[in-house]
Structure formats: C-alpha cells, structure tokens
Amino acid sequence: MTEDSLTFADPDQILLLFGAQDRYLRQVREAVGVGVTIRGDQLRLHGTEEQIRRGLAVFTELRSILEKQGELRDTEVEGVLGMAKSAAAGEAATALPGEMIDLLEKARRVHPRSRGQADYVRAIRDHDLVFCEGPAGSGKTYLAVAMAVNALRQELVRKIVLVRPAVEAGEKLGFLPGDMLAKINPFLRPLIDALSEMLDYEQVRRYIERDVVEILPLAFMRGRTLNETFIILDEGQNTTVTQMKMFLTRLGNGSRIVVTGDSTQTDLPPEVTSGFGDAIRKLSHVEGIATVKLTGRDIVRHPLVKKIVEAYDEGPDSGPARSKGRS
C-alpha cells in the first residue's frame, strides 16, 4: 500500500470535486479503485502504485476543469473516467488530457473516452480528409462536430457544413407532412442535436442565420467548392459511389472533410455499391487521408447499446436455442 497527494489552491474546490453527496468521488473510486481522504488543502490517495497513478491522472484533470470553469458537469466526469477505464484496459496510449477538445464556449470541453476515440481526434487534427467507420454510439459524429466547432472558434475555418444523405430507411419521404425542407429535417436532426449539445441555442441559431453553419442534404452539395470550411458527411454508408466522388471533390483550399459511417447499417438497395466502403478501399493509402475504425469498445451511449450491437453482430441465430415443442 502506497500513498500520494494532490494539493488544491482552495480547499472548497475539493468539495466541488466530490460532487453532491460525494457522487463524483464514488464514481472515481469505483472506476480507479483508489482510496481517498482529505487533509486540509490536500487530497490524499491510498492504494497500489497503479491505482494511485490512475487516481492522480483523473483528479488532476478534474481539478484542471474545475479551476478553469468553477464547476464540474456529469459529462465531463464521465469523459475523464471513460479514458481512465480505457487506460486500465490497455486501450489508451496517451495521457488523459492529450486529445481533449476545447470548444472555447464557456470553458466547455469534449473528452474522448477510449483509445479509439483519441486516435480518431488525433487523425482529424493531422489530416485534411478522414474516414471513420464505427457502430452506433461510438462517438464518430459527435467528436467530428466537436472538432469542427473547435476549428471554427480558433478561426482555422470560416464555416461548418454538416451533410447527410437523405436515404429512406423503410419509411417513405412522400408520406411525411410539409414541404421538402420539412421532409428532410428528420435526416438532419442528429447533426443539429450534436451541435446543440456543445453550443447555446442562441449561438447555434445565429450561426445558422449567418450561414456560418450549414446543415443540408448531400444532393445540395453538387456544383459547390468549399474553401476554408470544415465539412462533415454523416451516414456515409448511404452514399453511392458517384455521390461519394461528387462530395469528396467539393474539398477546397484550407478545408477539411470528415466522413463517418457504419457499413452494417446501410439503407441502400442490395444491388447498389456503397460509396463509403469503396472510397476507403481506394483512398486509404493516399497521403493526407486517414482511416479510423471504431469498435464496440468505443461505444459510449447507454450500456445496453454495446450489448445490442454485439447481439446483432453475432447474427440471427446467436440467441438461446428454441424448444422444438409447442409452448
């Protein structure tokens, strides 16, 4: 059993760090397994060397967030702990704060919560074109939008363009009420939701009104060249080869493109080749282009989502054997 400590400039910060009724403290203890006591302005950690190392990394990052914005949010604590759990499983190759995304909006930051997510963020930072394949809930769209907001706030780009193919998944567009914009709104809603989680509603509205942020169907991209723009194509598996080529050639000077998709959830007819997989095969070895594959280990939604994805990946006959008799 070893011991180490972390000093706080203001002892009251320790109480904020622990959360209401020590909720955050309990989460850290469960995730890291380290013992914690308070002595004045110090947080004393007890446990094995590995537990203390991980505990110091978690509490240091939480202290940094607290000092910057004066409070902690559930999502921030969950993000830091998610990375800590990944590190314990041998999935994280860098320090916890290494790939965090500063939204420059009231001290908000987005935390990659797995090795795969950290690699994805790093790829976006280092390349002008990134393909990300992963299952539902792995953060591929959310992290791309966060990186777009970061680039906009740092004036690395002038605008953000969020794109989705309007492919029907069983339902028919013609039966939806309203004009064309109303009909395509459900397809674009996930991108709007991701943006709204990161920025205040009024800020999002101003960006859209001033054309700083565009959210539009893929078909509306034809004929355009976008300079100094961060472009995200979501649900890329629902593009045809021709559509994907059209989209990728919209890339202008000073722009970046992120294409996300899940090859297991294509809504294209069986006889149509997906432009997403085709582009990855053709372009993955081109300099300046990166391909990232997220897995079930990177799923960060409700714990049941990971189990649901795994069950479907195993195939239709993977459940318990059914009785041959009548019930």
Side-chain angles (χ1 to χ4, degrees), residues 68-124:
K68 187 172 182 180
Q69 64 189 37
E71 63 177 344
L72 288 176
R73 300 183 181 90
D74 290 353
T75 54
E76 293 161 343
V77 176
E78 291 168 2
V80 173
L81 290 180
M83 285 293 286
K85 290 177 181 177
S86 296
E91 297 175 5
T94 57
L96 287 174
E99 300 302 336
M100 291 181 184
I101 307 167
D102 192 342
L103 300 177
L104 306 176
E105 168 76 5
K106 297 182 179 178
R108 294 178 184 172
R109 291 195 288 180
V110 171
H111 307 259
R113 295 170 61 178
S114 69
R115 163 78 179 270
Q117 289 190 354
D119 289 344
Y120 178 36
V121 170
R122 194 178 306 114
I124 296 175

Side-chain angles (χ1 to χ4, degrees), residues 28-273:
V28 174
R29 281 174 171 166
E30 291 174 5
V32 180
V34 68
V36 181
T37 58
I38 302 175
R39 182 172 297 176
D41 61 353
Q42 287 188 335
L43 204 62
R44 292 188 174 271
L45 309 184
H46 317 273
T48 65
E49 290 185 3
E50 177 63 16
Q51 288 171 336
I52 290 177
R53 183 188 67 80
R54 291 165 52 204
L56 282 173
V58 169
F59 282 120
T60 298
E61 177 58 24
L62 293 177
R63 181 184 63 179
S64 175
I65 297 172
L66 193 56
E67 289 175 345
K68 187 172 182 180
Q69 64 189 37
E71 63 177 344
L72 288 176
R73 300 183 181 90
D74 290 353
T75 54
E76 293 161 343
V77 176
E78 291 168 2
V80 173
L81 290 180
M83 285 293 286
K85 290 177 181 177
S86 296
E91 297 175 5
T94 57
L96 287 174
E99 300 302 336
M100 291 181 184
I101 307 167
D102 192 342
L103 300 177
L104 306 176
E105 168 76 5
K106 297 182 179 178
R108 294 178 184 172
R109 291 195 288 180
V110 171
H111 307 259
R113 295 170 61 178
S114 69
R115 163 78 179 270
Q117 289 190 354
D119 289 344
Y120 178 36
V121 170
R122 194 178 306 114
I124 296 175
R125 285 197 171 121
D126 296 341
H127 299 81
D128 290 335
L129 173 55
V130 175
F131 292 94
C132 181
E133 182 172 9
S138 57
K140 53 188 185 293
T141 302
Y142 188 82
L143 290 172
V145 173
M147 288 297 291
V149 172
N150 174 270
L152 180 67
R153 290 301 184 89
Q154 293 192 71
E155 299 184 354
L156 300 177
V157 296
R158 292 185 298 106
K159 69 182 300 180
I160 297 171
V161 175
L162 307 175
V163 185
R164 259 192 163 209
V167 176
E168 299 167 343
E171 300 85 358
K172 295 295 182 181
L173 277 175
F175 289 100
L176 294 176
D179 57 16
M180 177 54 68
L181 290 178
K183 291 177 187 292
I184 64 175
N185 182 66
F187 292 97
L188 307 179
R189 175 54 56 182
L191 296 171
I192 298 173
D193 289 345
L195 193 63
S196 298
E197 282 190 36
M198 300 173 198
L199 302 173
D200 290 339
Y201 170 78
E202 286 300 319
Q203 182 66 74
V204 174
R205 184 179 61 80
R206 286 195 296 271
Y207 276 159
I208 293 175
E209 287 178 351
R210 297 172 184 174
D211 208 30
V212 175
V213 171
E214 275 190 271
I215 306 173
L216 68 164
L218 177 60
F220 289 25
M221 291 288 289
R222 188 174 298 277
R224 302 183 64 179
T225 299
L226 298 171
N227 297 315
E228 297 178 6
T229 304
F230 199 117
I231 315 162
I232 299 171
L233 172 60
D234 194 32
E235 301 290 347
Q237 78 277 1
N238 285 332
T239 63
T240 66
V241 173
T242 301
Q243 287 173 330
M244 181 61 76
K245 180 181 177 182
M246 178 275 292
F247 171 76
L248 295 177
T249 53
R250 302 309 94 195
L251 183 65
N253 294 324
S255 293
R256 295 183 182 183
I257 286 180
V258 177
V259 182
T260 70
D262 180 359
S263 297
T264 67
Q265 294 193 31
T266 180
D267 297 313
L268 295 172
E271 68 277 8
V272 177
T273 300

Side-chain angles (χ1 to χ4, degrees), residues 8-18 63 66-68:
F8 287 74
D10 183 355
D12 289 340
Q13 286 184 335
I14 297 178
L15 300 178
L16 293 174
L17 183 74
F18 285 1
R63 181 184 63 179
L66 193 56
E67 289 175 345
K68 187 172 182 180

